[in-house]
Amino acid sequence: MDQHRWQLVTVVGQHVDPRPDKFAGDLSAAQGLKDEAEAALKAYESELAAARARAQAIGAETREKLNAASEAERKTLEDQLSAKLAQAEKTIAATRETAMSNVRGIAADAASAIVQRLTGVLPDGGAVNSAVDASLKG
């Protein structure tokens, strides 16, 4: 080959040789970007899973707090209702006692009036009271 042709081949060879290296470099850079993207995706998925776990924990904690508050309020209402029920039972017992004493007095007065009407004699108060008491006891 002549001198000029050899120089041309050498020059062309110098220009051709860098292209495979450039492609290899581009492929390497693309692989690096792909690896970075995959790492970023894994990090995102990890953060998302952690965020979901935190949200579930917050939800559970909130539910527990609300249940505790509800239970405390229920207990307070039960205590208030129990106190009102006890007071109502006392009032009923007192009213019954008053009613029964009135019934006893009315029964004694009625028995005295009946005996006096039938016999014409006013009966002894003690005897009438004893008879009424015995009748009320059953």
Side-chain angles (χ1 to χ4, degrees):
M1 278 214 256
D2 77 5
Q3 183 69 359
H4 289 303
R5 264 186 157 170
W6 183 250
Q7 287 176 347
L8 180 61
V9 170
T10 304
V11 169
V12 170
Q14 288 175 353
H15 289 296
V16 172
D17 283 344
R19 287 198 310 179
D21 291 340
K22 182 174 186 322
F23 289 138
D26 289 347
L27 287 175
S28 177
Q31 184 63 43
L33 291 174
K34 181 183 174 197
D35 292 345
E36 286 179 28
E38 287 176 353
L41 179 61
K42 286 181 183 178
Y44 166 77
E45 289 172 346
S46 176
E47 285 296 319
L48 183 60
R52 284 184 179 143
R54 285 191 303 268
Q56 288 176 349
I58 290 169
E61 181 182 342
T62 301
R63 222 178 354 268
E64 288 175 14
K65 285 180 181 178
L66 291 175
N67 286 343
S70 176
E71 183 63 24
E73 186 174 342
R74 185 191 62 77
K75 176 88 170 104
T76 299
L77 289 174
E78 280 183 1
D79 291 346
Q80 290 173 350
L81 288 174
S82 292
K84 286 181 180 180
L85 180 61
Q87 184 59 40
E89 287 174 350
K90 286 180 184 178
T91 302
I92 290 169
T95 302
R96 181 181 302 133
E97 184 67 32
T98 301
M100 290 307 289
S101 73
N102 289 339
V103 166
R104 187 186 174 288
I106 292 170
D109 290 345
S112 289
I114 291 170
V115 169
Q116 184 177 10
R117 182 104 167 148
L118 292 175
T119 63
V121 177
L122 185 61
D124 175 49
V128 171
N129 286 335
S130 293
V132 169
D133 287 341
S135 177
L136 289 176
K137 289 182 182 177

